[in-house]
Amino acid sequence: MRIRSARRSDLPLLQDIERAAGEPFRALGMAFVADDDPPPLDLLESYRLAGRCWVATDPLSATGDRPLGYVLVDPVDDALHIEQVSVDPAVARRGIGRDLIAHLAALAATRGMAALTLTTFTDVPWNAPYYARIGFRVLTERELTEGLRAIRAEEAQHGLDRWPRVCMRRELAPVVRPSGATGTVRIPRMPDTSGAPDTSGAVAVSGGT
């Protein structure tokens, strides 16, 4: 599996992944989630330009470099917050989500961040129970940071609080720095590490999450 930064040409494919990943919610009586529109292209492009969108591909398979899953992240308080992680159900149970999250954990640790955070549905098997298995723990109400409270409030406005949701956090081991190095590094923009030149240029974005 290869994890690389998203390219502009990937973005419509990420929308397709998001639509497919939403369908299993329908069987749980969560049609509202299944029918939710994928992130618009301008929002995906804003994450891509900021260096905060990664995709997983399998170069050795028939799909080649086509994205099979993706993540969007935001720096929130002392953590790297996983805004979205989605995997095409056609390639489920191959560890793609786990690989994407492991990539984020390594990246965030090198940038001096203390943890990964996310919000998720409590009772959906591939949500909170899955994240608990890979090292996340549920935060109590008193543990929520200002940034996480703001995210939860926005989710409530979007109607997601009609089903139980929680904030979860996975602590990161600090990176051992060379002797003489001091301080932590906070980089709101994460550089493109795909190795592929990008000549697409910028487009206007609406922002928001």
Side-chain angles (χ1 to χ4, degrees):
M1 195 62 57
R2 179 190 181 201
I3 309 296
R4 63 167 173 80
S5 296
R7 301 168 185 151
R8 190 173 184 182
S9 59
D10 294 327
L11 304 187
L13 302 177
L14 305 191
Q15 291 183 314
D16 292 341
I17 290 172
E18 191 62 31
R19 293 186 186 97
E23 279 303 308
F25 285 90
R26 200 177 302 280
L28 300 180
M30 301 171 70
F32 175 81
V33 176
D35 293 334
D36 194 30
D37 290 332
L41 290 176
D42 57 357
L43 178 59
L44 291 173
E45 176 70 347
S46 72
Y47 274 94
R48 187 189 74 82
L49 289 174
R52 292 189 274 118
C53 178
W54 287 270
V55 301
T57 70
D58 186 356
L60 300 181
S61 74
T63 59
D65 203 38
R66 181 185 178 92
L68 303 175
Y70 77 100
V71 291
L72 306 176
V73 300
D74 292 309
V76 174
D77 303 314
D78 66 339
L80 190 63
H81 184 76
I82 302 172
E83 171 61 25
Q84 185 66 39
V85 55
S86 296
V87 174
D88 189 335
V91 291
R93 301 185 182 278
R94 288 177 49 183
I96 295 173
R98 186 188 298 264
D99 286 350
L100 285 164
I101 291 172
H103 175 80
L104 295 180
L107 192 69
T110 63
R111 282 157 173 75
M113 293 178 171
L116 298 178
T117 59
L118 55 83
T119 60
T120 192
F121 291 111
T122 305
D123 300 326
V124 175
W126 58 90
N127 279 197
Y130 167 77
Y131 294 120
R133 291 196 298 272
I134 61 172
F136 286 82
R137 68 177 181 87
V138 174
L139 296 177
T140 66
E141 187 68 21
R142 294 182 61 181
E143 291 179 297
L144 298 186
T145 63
E146 182 178 345
L148 290 176
R149 291 183 188 278
I151 289 169
R152 287 290 290 114
E154 186 172 353
E155 290 177 344
Q157 289 182 348
H158 192 61
L160 294 179
D161 61 340
R162 66 182 68 183
W163 299 279
R165 283 180 71 79
V166 290
C167 294
M168 303 185 75
R169 180 179 174 100
R170 174 172 158 177
E171 303 296 336
L172 301 176
V175 173
V176 177
R177 298 180 180 276
S179 178
T182 60
T184 59
V185 179
R186 287 298 186 85
I187 304 178
R189 186 189 189 283
M190 297 181 180
D192 187 336
T193 57
S194 67
D198 181 8
T199 58
S200 62
V203 299
V205 297
S206 62
T209 54

